[in-house]
Amino acid sequence: QVQLVESGGGLVQPGGSLRLSCAASGSIFSINAMGWYRQAPGKQRELVATVTTDGTTNYADSVKGRFTISEVNAENTVYLQMNSLKPEDTAVYYCNAGVTRLVPFGNLELWGQGTLVTVSS
């Protein structure tokens, strides 16, 4: 079984920082890309940031200059460093990964269980 496990959410004051982590585990042949999405109450899920295995990153305009996504490391883990957090960043953050599974061989899109980030004073 291939799965994503997230951690790092919580409550933070405006202007503060948090770091989210997402680890892929299981029968993985390769990881093609990983990223973060978020869903605020009453809103659709939206892209936050993605990174491909060649290091190419993509960010939502709303987080550029404040959030940084890491490259996927040797432990199949990606981090999202979030600085200068704003109340409008409050959402459930979901990790997403495109992987090639080893057994049985094939491509999968995975989602994590979500981690809540609350930005409030």
Side-chain angles (χ1 to χ4, degrees):
Q1 182 179 357
V2 183
Q3 63 179 359
L4 301 177
V5 178
E6 304 149 339
S7 63
L11 173 65
V12 63
Q13 292 186 344
S17 298
L18 279 177
R19 189 177 78 156
L20 307 182
S21 66
C22 174
S25 64
S27 179
I28 297 173
F29 177 74
S30 65
I31 292 181
N32 306 312
M34 294 186 77
W36 292 92
Y37 291 71
R38 67 186 181 187
Q39 187 166 18
K43 295 187 176 182
Q44 289 189 333
R45 190 173 297 189
E46 63 177 3
L47 178 146
V48 176
T50 61
V51 61
T52 61
T53 51
D54 67 0
T56 300
T57 57
N58 182 43
Y59 293 93
D61 288 343
S62 59
V63 306
K64 283 180 180 177
R66 300 188 298 122
F67 291 11
T68 302
I69 190 168
S70 72
E71 293 192 19
V72 182
N73 66 16
E75 287 76 41
N76 293 333
T77 300
V78 69
Y79 300 93
L80 182 69
Q81 178 66 43
M82 305 185 294
N83 298 328
S84 302
L85 282 160
K86 305 175 181 180
E88 51 263 43
D89 294 317
T90 295
V92 177
Y93 283 70
Y94 295 92
C95 182
N96 172 267
V99 307
T100 301
R101 184 178 54 190
L102 185 59
V103 179
F105 193 82
N107 292 328
L108 290 176
E109 182 182 23
L110 302 173
W111 289 93
Q113 78 281 5
T115 185
L116 178 62
V117 172
T118 304
V119 184
S120 175
S121 55

